């Protein structure tokens, strides 16, 4: 009886062994494919190109021989090919006209791959001793300051002004405590935030496209329209080496890369700063429902920005 039971169990053991071998092979194949993808991603990131199959196989074999992925990435960074890209970029003094919530952080992070930390100056937070040797000037300076530093190239991303304000409010509510807008905004509804008495809060969204290029904003929303002011702002943006739109990032990055004489990124950089900079005491609110009252407040706060944005968009999107 016992022998019969034992004999019945033997085929089951063989099946389990085969199943274990099958899943081990599947796991190995999955791991190999994952490492392969990470190697390809490193080529995209550090060398701005797609690797040849033989290059992927070389690094894959190197990995399975015991070389950590981190060491493989460092080898690519130390390669002559990466150094050539770095040298091309370091010949410039790049200024980022970073309008908040337009994708500027992702652009800064992408350029930072090729620029040493001590040659990046963040306006408002870096030590001023870094400024003379800086190759990348970031943060949120205005155009006049960037030009005063002798920037050879200035890049800027634009976004639909109303969408930008909504995104800015949601980010301000979710940001870590101590960020300039977090504390005064965290207890305000969107409607309350659009009409606060504090000028330092309003300065972050009220016709920001004017102040970013050093032009005065209307003191009162009832001020008469200034076509000269609007035209000056449009011309200021169009005179930058590369101005683009968050809804067409491939075209913008292609312009930036062409200016710097390098290949554009294969994977377009994207960064969700709300998730990166959130904290346990923060709140990321849902997109507000735009009531007629909110629509009126938004249109008032973007009176010039909307026209500036639309005019630049029409010019940039014209077929050549």
């Amino acid at each position: 009886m016992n022998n019969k039971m034992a004999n019945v169990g033997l085929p089951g053991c063989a099946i389990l062994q085969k199943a274990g071998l099958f899943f081990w092979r599947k796991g190995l194949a999955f791991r190999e494919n994952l490492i392969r993808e990470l190697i390809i991603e490193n080529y995209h990131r550090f060398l701005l190109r797609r690797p040849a199959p033989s290059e992927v196989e070389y690094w894959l074999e190197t990995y399975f021989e015991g070389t950590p992925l981190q060491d493989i990435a460092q080898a690519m960074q130390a390669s002559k090919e990466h150094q050539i890209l770095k040298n091309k970029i370091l010949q410039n003094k790049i200024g980022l006209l970073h309008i908040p919530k337009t994708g500027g952080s992702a652009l800064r992070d992408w350029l930072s791959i090729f620029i040493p930390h001590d040659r990046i100056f963040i306006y408002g937070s870096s030590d001023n001793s870094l400024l003379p040797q800086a190759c990348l000037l970031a943060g949120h300076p205005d155009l006049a300051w960037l030009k005063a530093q002798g920037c050879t190239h200035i890049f800027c991303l634009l976004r639909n002004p109303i969408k930008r304000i909504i995104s800015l409010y949601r980010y301000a509510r979710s940001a870590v405590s101590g960020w300039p807008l977090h504390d005064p905004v965290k207890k305000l509804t969107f409607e309350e935030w659009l009409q606060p008495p504090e000028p330092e809060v309003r300065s972050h969204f009220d016709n920001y496209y004017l102040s970013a290029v050093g032009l005065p904003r209307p003191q009162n929303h009832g001020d008469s329209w200034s076509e000269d002011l609007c035209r000056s702002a449009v011309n200021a943006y169009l005179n930058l080496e590369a101005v683009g739109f968050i809804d067409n990032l491939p075209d913008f990055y292609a312009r930036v890369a062409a200016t710097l004489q390098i290949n554009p990124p294969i994977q377009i950089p994207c960064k969700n700063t709300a998730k990166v900079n959130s904290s346990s005491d923060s709140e990321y609110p849902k997109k507000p429902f735009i009531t007629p009252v909110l629509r009126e407040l938004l249109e008032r706060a973007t009176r010039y920005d909307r026209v500036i944005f639309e005019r630049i968009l029409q010019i940039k999107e014209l077929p050549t």
Side-chain angles (χ1 to χ4, degrees):
M1 184 71 178
N2 291 336
N3 289 337
K4 287 183 179 180
M5 290 180 65
N7 289 335
V8 169
L10 285 176
C13 289
I15 291 172
L16 287 174
Q17 287 176 345
K18 288 182 179 180
L21 183 62
F22 171 79
F23 285 111
W24 178 80
R25 287 174 175 169
K26 289 283 286 185
L28 186 63
F30 174 80
R31 182 185 178 192
E32 181 177 319
N33 287 334
L34 177 61
I35 300 303
R36 188 187 304 274
E37 289 301 316
L38 291 173
I39 290 170
I40 293 173
E41 185 177 312
N42 279 332
Y43 269 89
H44 295 173
R45 179 178 174 83
F46 299 117
L47 304 182
L48 300 179
R49 67 175 177 85
R50 293 181 171 85
S54 59
E55 292 175 312
V56 177
E57 294 306 316
Y58 168 79
W59 287 114
L60 193 62
E61 182 179 344
T62 302
Y63 171 81
F64 281 108
E65 288 176 351
T67 303
L69 273 175
Q70 184 177 356
D71 290 355
I72 293 175
Q74 289 175 350
M76 291 185 187
Q77 286 180 283
S79 68
K80 182 178 179 181
E81 191 173 351
H82 182 77
Q83 296 305 313
I84 290 173
L85 291 171
K86 284 182 62 175
N87 291 337
K88 284 185 177 181
I89 293 175
L90 291 174
Q91 292 174 3
N92 305 283
K93 197 176 188 74
I94 303 166
L96 302 186
L97 184 59
H98 182 184
I99 295 171
K101 307 310 297 174
T102 60
S105 295
L107 173 60
R108 180 198 64 214
D109 290 350
W110 177 64
L111 290 170
S112 298
I113 295 172
F114 307 96
I115 302 174
H117 181 73
D118 62 357
R119 298 198 63 184
I120 299 174
F121 184 87
I122 307 299
Y123 181 83
S125 61
S126 291
D127 191 308
N128 286 337
S129 63
L130 294 176
L131 189 54
Q133 64 184 22
C135 169
L136 176 62
L137 279 57
H140 299 289
D142 63 16
L143 182 58
W145 186 87
L146 291 172
K147 287 184 174 181
Q149 309 313 312
C151 291
T152 56
H153 307 299
I154 300 177
F155 306 133
C156 179
L157 273 164
L158 299 176
R159 184 180 188 179
N160 177 290
I162 289 180
K163 291 182 179 179
R164 188 189 80 83
I165 289 182
I166 294 172
S167 178
L168 183 63
Y169 169 74
R170 299 176 74 206
Y171 174 68
R173 287 282 298 270
S174 70
V176 294
S177 182
W179 190 74
L181 282 183
H182 175 69
D183 293 331
V185 169
K186 61 183 178 182
K187 295 182 179 179
L188 298 179
T189 66
F190 188 48
E191 182 176 342
E192 290 170 337
W193 184 68
L194 286 174
Q195 43 189 350
E198 301 88 349
E200 64 273 15
V201 175
R202 292 199 64 83
S203 66
H204 286 267
F205 63 81
D206 195 349
N207 289 298
Y208 192 93
Y209 287 3
L210 287 174
S211 61
V213 292
L215 293 171
R217 286 181 281 199
Q219 294 296 315
N220 301 295
H221 290 296
D223 290 352
S224 60
W225 175 265
S226 173
E227 181 60 27
D228 289 341
L229 192 60
C230 185
R231 189 181 297 113
S232 295
V234 171
N235 289 336
Y237 285 106
L238 292 177
N239 285 330
L240 301 179
E241 277 70 23
V243 59
F245 309 94
I246 197 171
D247 293 326
N248 191 3
L249 289 175
D251 179 73
F252 173 74
Y253 276 91
R255 293 170 190 253
V256 170
T259 301
L260 300 176
Q261 298 182 340
I262 60 175
N263 291 332
I266 294 172
Q267 297 175 331
I268 300 301
C270 183
K271 182 176 183 178
N272 189 336
T273 52
K275 291 183 178 179
V276 171
N277 297 322
S278 61
S279 64
S280 58
D281 69 339
S282 64
E283 173 192 358
Y284 195 66
K286 296 179 180 180
K287 290 183 180 179
F289 176 75
I290 306 302
T291 63
V293 172
L294 285 179
R295 173 63 60 180
E296 181 180 352
L297 291 171
L298 284 166
E299 290 180 351
R300 186 176 69 182
T302 60
R303 184 186 180 198
Y304 279 89
D305 286 3
R306 284 180 290 117
V307 178
I308 292 167
F309 176 81
E310 289 298 331
R311 289 186 183 180
I312 297 172
L313 181 64
Q314 289 174 7
I315 292 171
K316 288 292 184 180
E317 294 297 318
L318 285 175
T320 56

